[in-house]
């Protein structure tokens, strides 16, 4: 079974430029998460989807970040414009359901460097 | 609100020695507890989880953890580590109802020959 697939693996951009990350979750997983992991810290939730609906986006900086999950499968996370402080690893994860006892499966992440 | 504190940011240990990675949590609601491992250049993968029942939980690769409700701790242990256990380990809590997960800042385990 294929795992969570993210692309690109690495991205270097200049500040003020836009950037987008793509995630393909495990087939059949209704719940999809985007996390940001700063250097030396644990993942922090940015947004959670149940199918195509964003049910928890309280930590998403909506002035510059946006996300979508069309048709409840693939998802994209966009930053426009990027700032130096956005340098981090962006992780996508998926699970069968949103309940707290469900294991999340993580992709390898996209390492973003803003220069 | 919930929070997770991993008490050691780095743990160096020699091969075949025992190891304990400490995790304390706080939450105003009942939670589930998890340990994830992140090998270099890989995503996080589940090591073990506590949902209910026996407070001693066994996971993959010979790891186990003990849930202590009175001390709000969920320490991870392995009796004999291998070089291949070198990785970043994350403790996480997830509340019963909302399913919201909070991660600790991680502990880097370095196993030396």
């Amino acid at each position: 079974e294929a795992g969570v697939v993210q692309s690109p693996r690495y991205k270097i951009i200049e500040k003020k430029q836009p950037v987008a990350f793509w995630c393909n979750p495990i087939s059949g997983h209704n719940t999809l998460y985007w996390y940001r992991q700063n250097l030396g810290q644990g993942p922090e939730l940015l947004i959670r989807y149940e199918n195509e609906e964003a049910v928890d986006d309280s930590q998403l900086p909506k002035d510059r970040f946006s996300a979508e999950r069309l048709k409840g499968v693939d998802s994209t996370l966009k930053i426009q414009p990027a700032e130096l402080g956005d340098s981090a690893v962006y992780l996508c994860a998926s699970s069968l359901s949103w309940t707290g006892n469900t294991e999340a499966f993580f992709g390898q992440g996209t390492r973003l460097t803003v220069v | 609100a919930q929070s997770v504190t991993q008490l050691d940011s780095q743990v160096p240990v020699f091969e075949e020695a025992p190891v304990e990675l400490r995790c304390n949590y706080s939450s105003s609601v009942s939670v589930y507890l998890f340990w994830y491992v992140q090998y270099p250049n890989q995503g996080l993968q589940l090591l073990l989880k506590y949902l209910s029942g026996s407070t001693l939980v066994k996971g993959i690769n010979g790891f186990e953890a003990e849930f202590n409700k009175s001390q709000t701790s969920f320490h991870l242990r392995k009796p004999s580590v291998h070089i291949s256990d070198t990785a970043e380990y994350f403790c996480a809590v997830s509340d019963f109802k909302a399913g919201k997960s909070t991660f600790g800042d991680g502990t880097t385990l370095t196993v030396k020959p």
Side-chain angles (χ1 to χ4, degrees):
Chain A
E1 176 183 291
V4 176
V5 179
Q6 290 187 247
S7 69
R9 288 292 314 279
Y10 305 92
K11 189 74 177 180
I12 301 174
I13 62 170
E14 293 184 343
K15 62 181 180 182
K16 301 184 182 180
Q17 294 302 305
V19 65
F21 314 124
W22 176 80
C23 173
N24 182 241
I26 292 174
S27 177
H29 281 195
N30 297 322
T31 305
L32 183 145
Y33 311 81
W34 281 104
Y35 287 89
R36 177 169 58 191
Q37 185 177 15
N38 293 314
L39 188 64
Q41 297 181 15
E44 294 178 314
L45 181 69
L46 291 174
I47 190 169
R48 185 183 89 204
Y49 280 93
E50 297 301 324
N51 297 305
E52 64 273 11
E53 182 182 359
V55 296
D56 184 356
D57 62 356
S58 57
Q59 300 302 311
L60 189 73
K62 298 182 183 65
D63 57 336
R64 297 183 301 107
F65 285 65
S66 64
E68 61 181 11
R69 190 184 184 198
L70 300 176
K71 300 182 181 179
V73 182
D74 294 6
S75 177
T76 56
L77 178 68
K78 299 178 182 178
I79 308 175
Q80 183 171 12
E83 297 179 353
L84 294 177
D86 296 330
S87 294
V89 176
Y90 291 84
L91 297 168
C92 179
S94 70
S95 62
L96 282 170
S97 72
W98 60 269
T99 55
N101 60 351
T102 307
E103 175 185 356
F105 294 82
F106 286 80
Q108 291 181 288
T110 296
R111 182 177 298 277
L112 174 66
T113 302
V114 183
V115 297
Chain B
Q2 55 199 31
S3 66
V4 177
T5 302
Q6 293 187 239
L7 298 166
D8 307 290
S9 60
Q10 299 199 22
V11 174
V13 64
F14 287 105
E15 193 173 18
E16 297 184 5
V19 71
E20 178 180 78
L21 307 183
R22 298 179 294 167
C23 172
N24 287 350
Y25 71 94
S26 67
S27 178
S28 56
V29 298
S30 296
V31 295
Y32 300 111
L33 297 152
F34 302 79
W35 275 99
Y36 285 86
V37 59
Q38 187 175 31
Y39 298 106
N41 297 315
Q42 295 187 28
L44 282 75
Q45 77 179 82
L46 184 68
L47 207 52
L48 50 78
K49 60 184 176 183
Y50 173 77
L51 304 181
S52 64
S54 172
T55 57
L56 184 63
V57 180
K58 294 188 183 298
I60 61 172
N61 301 338
F63 284 91
E64 63 181 31
E66 185 153 21
F67 169 57
N68 188 317
K69 188 174 182 179
S70 62
Q71 298 188 4
T72 60
S73 68
F74 190 53
H75 300 334
L76 181 70
R77 302 186 184 100
K78 186 170 183 178
S80 176
V81 295
H82 304 290
I83 298 289
S84 59
D85 292 323
T86 294
E88 188 85 10
Y89 292 79
F90 292 94
C91 181
V93 300
S94 182
D95 68 68
F96 274 15
K97 291 188 176 180
K100 190 177 181 74
S101 294
T102 302
F103 287 79
D105 285 338
T107 297
T108 302
L109 174 64
T110 303
V111 181
K112 304 175 181 180

